[in-house]
Amino acid sequence: MRRLLLEWYGRGHRALPWRKSRDPYAIWLSEIMLQQTRAQAAIPYYERFLERFPDVAQLAAAREDEVLALWSGLGYYSRARNLHRAARRMAEAGGFPREYEAIRALPGIGDYTAAAVASIAFDLPHAVLDGNVLRVVARMRNDAADIGSGRTRERFRAVAQGWLEETHAGPAKQDMPAGQFNQALMELGATVCVPRNPLCLLCPVAGLCQARAAGTVAQLPVKLRKTAPVQLEGVLLVVRNRGRILLRQRDAASTRMAGFWDLPAPGELPGAALGERIGEIRHTITHHHYRLEVRHASARKPRDEAFRWFSVVELDTIPFSTTARKGLKLAGIVPKL
Ligand code: SF4
């Protein structure tokens, strides 16, 4: 894999301006810009920025509004603010840190950016894991685990790290330093092993690719969708009778909050006479978003033992569901528990 990737990368790759540099400041700047911006769109910003602030000291000495003005159009301005803060910190500490942990500790730098800067500028053996690398790992290993999960990402990072260490320890170390290997892997994902219709016929590592051998390339990587939000509406009733309030206890079969007390819903109180609207509460449980209207009502207590009248004093001694607590509060009744 090392030899094939090296030969392929050596034959040519996109001529991006930051690829010409080993200056940690320039590499860091490019990586921060590339966090949320496509490479081609970032180029003019990168060049202008470097021209105006050619090193850490000059960036650290700048006013924040000047930095933000040069960033204007790139969006996600917290990146520019963090860049500026990090430059000031580095200027105080005497320059760009040379260890991974110290780079990672700078504002605005996560695992990916720290590994990219450490490997490209200082040849430190830290594998990068961006979307491109995740895709290449999933396909090379024919691994259908969800790349949205933290555990999968950690596992894939270990695979990329294994490739990198193999590369680093091998005879081609001089030919392919850590930064070059990382860039070659990302370049493979960005230009050949692309999300749709990857160019397997042009791929330098096709002979080692397990997904290609298994015919599963188009299904990988797997990214499970987050469950779609569900909007739910309902009504809760505040039923009073001679100073007491009617509540219903959740039964033991209830998966959540069994034993807790709820305000009843109209469907649970046949014959209830709905009264004035008190207001509305909202409540979210995982992807379920509830909008609940709270109304006064008069009703008899059903025979069901789950229903009980409580005096206001007794309300301080029983557990409530969150929606009941919100509904009671809206009605001006605030139990202590
Ligand atoms: S053979 Fe195809 S799927 Fe496998 S790594 Fe190469 S481009 Fe990606």
Side-chain angles (χ1 to χ4, degrees), residues 139-140 192-193 198 200 203 205-206 209 212 217:
R139 288 171 174 168
M140 286 292 287
V192 176
C193 196
C200 299
C203 178
V205 291
C209 178
R212 181 159 160 81
V217 171

Side-chain angles (χ1 to χ4, degrees), residues 37-312:
T37 308
R38 286 181 307 103
Q40 288 305 323
I43 291 174
Y45 287 92
Y46 171 80
E47 290 176 337
R48 274 201 301 272
F49 208 94
L50 264 191
E51 204 178 297
R52 173 63 189 86
F53 304 121
D55 53 36
V56 167
Q58 300 205 41
L59 177 57
R63 290 198 326 269
E64 188 181 89
D65 55 357
E66 216 183 335
V67 177
L68 293 177
L70 265 184
W71 202 268
S72 177
L74 272 177
Y76 300 96
Y77 291 91
S78 60
R79 290 187 293 172
R81 290 200 178 89
N82 280 332
L83 202 72
H84 193 213
R85 280 173 51 214
R88 291 196 161 164
R89 203 183 281 183
M90 283 189 261
E92 279 167 21
F96 209 100
R98 300 182 69 87
E99 288 85 36
Y100 173 85
E101 283 71 23
I103 298 170
R104 175 72 178 77
L106 289 169
I109 294 197
D111 292 342
Y112 165 79
T113 307
V117 174
S119 64
I120 299 169
F122 303 118
D123 194 20
L124 297 172
H126 290 272
V128 293
L129 195 75
D130 69 349
N132 289 318
V133 176
L134 281 171
R135 186 164 58 254
V136 172
V137 172
R139 288 171 174 168
M140 286 292 287
R141 290 297 175 98
N142 193 25
D143 192 323
D146 172 22
I147 60 166
S149 115
R151 283 170 73 175
T152 305
R153 295 169 81 92
E154 266 320 301
R155 204 156 50 73
F156 282 18
R157 184 194 308 282
V159 172
Q161 186 67 30
W163 289 341
L164 174 67
E165 284 171 8
E166 197 177 294
T167 301
H168 223 65
K173 179 182 185 315
Q174 293 310 313
D175 300 327
M176 196 166 207
Q180 208 175 346
F181 177 81
N182 278 338
Q183 291 189 90
L185 202 54
M186 290 190 282
E187 184 79 354
L188 186 74
T191 62
V192 176
C193 196
V194 290
R196 285 176 193 218
N197 305 321
L199 311 173
C200 299
L201 290 175
L202 301 176
C203 178
V205 291
L208 303 173
C209 178
Q210 294 177 20
R212 181 159 160 81
T216 53
V217 171
Q219 291 133 49
L220 294 170
V222 171
K223 184 158 192 190
L224 298 179
R225 278 175 191 279
K226 284 194 179 151
T227 315
V230 179
Q231 311 289 343
L232 296 161
E233 294 189 357
V235 178
L236 296 177
L237 300 179
V238 177
V239 183
R240 297 187 195 225
N241 185 316
R242 287 186 276 163
R244 298 171 309 165
I245 293 167
L246 185 63
L247 298 173
R248 178 184 59 80
Q249 191 171 33
R250 293 197 185 184
D251 59 26
S254 169
T255 49
R256 290 175 57 86
M257 304 183 86
F260 282 65
W261 292 88
D262 264 331
L263 289 172
E268 294 164 346
L269 299 177
L274 300 195
E276 198 182 324
R277 182 180 191 274
I278 303 171
E280 187 180 286
I281 60 166
R282 287 173 189 257
H283 184 57
T284 296
I285 304 170
T286 64
H287 59 290
H288 292 102
H289 302 280
Y290 293 89
R291 210 177 80 195
L292 300 166
E293 187 181 52
V294 183
R295 304 188 74 109
H296 288 295
S298 54
R300 290 172 177 236
K301 183 179 100 54
R303 284 169 186 250
D304 187 335
E305 287 186 357
F307 289 85
R308 260 190 66 187
W309 291 107
F310 287 93
S311 69
V312 175

Side-chain angles (χ1 to χ4, degrees), residues 238 240 245 263 278 280-281 294 315 320-335:
V238 177
R240 297 187 195 225
I245 293 167
L263 289 172
I278 303 171
E280 187 180 286
I281 60 166
V294 183
L315 292 184
F320 289 97
S321 69
T322 309
T323 49
R325 183 175 303 284
K326 288 182 180 175
L328 287 169
K329 195 173 168 196
L330 197 67
I333 306 159
V334 186

